[in-house]
């Protein structure tokens, strides 16, 4: 039976210049028309069923007072493309996530939702995958939410920089100025979520600390939300040092992309070692993102996929040696 929608849902469904409905048609290879409030979907029965469920869920969300934006439509398309049985209402409404996290950030893929749930539930979470999948941004969002809820007293973000000797020595300025460019992506995530002025005040009060990994040695970090970014560039010794900084009441998130390791030849990535050593340990969860989870410009996902294909061809027996 064709779904019947009210004027508000119809406006959301079609969007400006019919952009939303065209995106749905392209994604599921269907044709959508509306007459007298009745939406008619033509195409393969299985795909028609998915699109009709999507339309029904959009109307439920609208009735619940949840704002639907073009980005929400794209998220719904991505989620249903991965899992045709997915509950779009629960996904877009942020069910199963704390209200504070849902207020700050919305997952855009099934794996992003699993990642957010893992961070809230587990003491330590590793996220491994390509650029643009939201690994760092989502972790910072949960950290900000837990700080607001007073579940932690401070946020500590760190990442490995180049060796603190000769390479940094070629850069102008004091040590802080030399290291700052390597920490800039963490600052950018904080500014996007909390705003420039608030971040500045929290850093002044030492509620937020952004520092290179080397500065973590010898510390015990309690009641803190601790994020290690770009972890693929840690050595095994650095990773072990970082993970053992965790104190009572703390939560740790480690992010990295094992396809972009910048360590010198012969040095094994601490992230790879941690994955091989710690997967299956109680209290730790590993989340693995793929190119289909890239939520930046669509071209980023295609670039990542192209490089993955090239690497796969390079590693086939015919191309070996």
């Amino acid at each position: 039976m064709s779904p019947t929608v009210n004027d508000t849902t119809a406006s959301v469904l079609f969007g400006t210049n019919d952009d939303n409905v065209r995106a749905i048609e392209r994604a599921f290879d269907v044709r959508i028309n509306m007459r007298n409030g009745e939406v008619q979907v033509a195409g393969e029965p299985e795909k028609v069923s998915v699109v009709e469920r999507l339309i029904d869920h959009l109307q439920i969300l609208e009735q619940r007072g949840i704002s639907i934006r073009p980005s929400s439509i794209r998220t719904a398309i991505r989620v249903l493309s991965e899992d045709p049985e997915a509950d779009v209402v629960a996904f877009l409404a942020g069910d199963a996530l704390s209200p504070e996290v849902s207020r700050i950030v919305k997952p855009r893929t099934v794996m992003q939702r699993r990642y957010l749930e893992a961070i809230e539930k587990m003491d330590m979470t590793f996220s491994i995958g390509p650029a643009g999948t939201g690994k760092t941004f989502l972790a910072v969002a949960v950290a900000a939410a837990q700080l607001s809820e007073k579940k932690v007293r401070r946020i500590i973000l760190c990442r490995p920089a180049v060796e603190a000797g000769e390479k940094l020595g070629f850069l102008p300025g004091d040590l802080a100025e030399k290291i700052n460019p390597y920490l800039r992506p963490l600052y950018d995530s904080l500014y996007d979520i909390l705003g420039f002025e608030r971040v500045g005040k929290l850093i002044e009060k030492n509620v937020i600390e952004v520092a290179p990994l080397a500065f973590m040695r010898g510390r015990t970090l309690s009641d803190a939300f601790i994020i290690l970014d770009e972890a693929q560039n840690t050595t095994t010794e650095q990773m072990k040092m970082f993970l053992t900084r965790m104190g009572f009441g703390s939560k740790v998130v480690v992010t990295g992309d094992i396809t972009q390791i910048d360590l010198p030849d012969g040095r094994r990535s601490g992230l790879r070692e941690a994955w091989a050593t710690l997967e299956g340990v109680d209290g730790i969860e590993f989340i693995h993102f793929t190119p289909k989870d890239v939520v930046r410009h669509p071209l980023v996902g295609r670039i990542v996929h192209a490089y993955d294909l090239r690497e796969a061809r390079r590693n086939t027996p015919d191309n070996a040696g």
Side-chain angles (χ1 to χ4, degrees), residues 121-126 246 277-286:
K121 180 177 65 174
M122 309 299 278
D123 290 333
M124 185 177 293
T125 305
F126 287 77
M246 184 179 187
T277 304
L278 301 176
E279 190 162 38
V281 172
D282 188 38
I284 300 176
E285 185 161 346
F286 283 78

Side-chain angles (χ1 to χ4, degrees), residues 53-68:
R53 284 183 60 243
L54 168 58
I55 295 168
D56 287 337
H57 286 187
L58 290 177
Q59 184 142 267
I60 293 170
L61 288 164
E62 184 269 323
Q63 291 168 350
R64 289 173 57 174
I66 297 172
S67 177
I68 303 296

Side-chain angles (χ1 to χ4, degrees), residues 184-288:
R184 178 54 53 187
L186 296 175
Y187 285 108
D188 290 343
S189 294
L190 285 171
Y191 295 151
D192 286 344
I193 293 166
L194 294 175
F196 188 86
E197 290 187 7
R198 187 180 179 197
V199 169
K201 291 177 181 177
L202 291 173
I203 289 176
E204 285 181 9
K205 296 177 181 178
N206 209 31
V207 175
I208 294 179
E209 178 182 350
V210 184
L213 177 60
F215 286 20
M216 297 297 107
R217 189 172 297 278
R219 302 176 64 182
T220 299
L221 306 172
S222 300
D223 299 316
F225 197 111
I226 312 157
I227 300 172
L228 172 60
D229 191 35
E230 296 289 337
Q232 75 275 6
N233 290 327
T234 62
T235 64
T236 299
E237 296 79 13
Q238 287 174 323
M239 178 63 79
K240 183 178 179 182
M241 178 275 291
F242 170 79
L243 297 178
T244 55
R245 300 308 92 203
M246 184 179 187
F248 290 108
S250 287
K251 189 177 289 286
V252 171
V253 178
V254 178
T255 74
D257 178 1
I258 57 175
T259 69
Q260 297 194 44
I261 297 172
D262 299 319
L263 293 171
D265 290 342
R267 301 300 300 272
R268 185 165 174 81
S269 167
L271 181 58
R272 283 186 179 275
E273 287 283 299
W275 180 11
T277 304
L278 301 176
E279 190 162 38
V281 172
D282 188 38
I284 300 176
E285 185 161 346
F286 283 78
I287 299 294
H288 297 274

Side-chain angles (χ1 to χ4, degrees), residues 113-142:
R113 178 172 172 135
R114 281 188 56 195
Y115 180 40
L116 290 172
E117 291 172 354
I119 294 174
E120 291 201 77
K121 180 177 65 174
M122 309 299 278
D123 290 333
M124 185 177 293
T125 305
F126 287 77
S127 64
I128 300 173
T133 51
K135 302 183 299 294
T136 303
F137 185 84
L138 294 175
V140 172
V142 180

Side-chain angles (χ1 to χ4, degrees), residues 20 34 69-70 92 99 105 112 139 206 251 266 305:
N20 293 343
M34 189 174 73
R69 300 179 177 86
L92 293 180
V105 68
Q112 281 194 349
N206 209 31
K251 189 177 289 286
H305 181 63

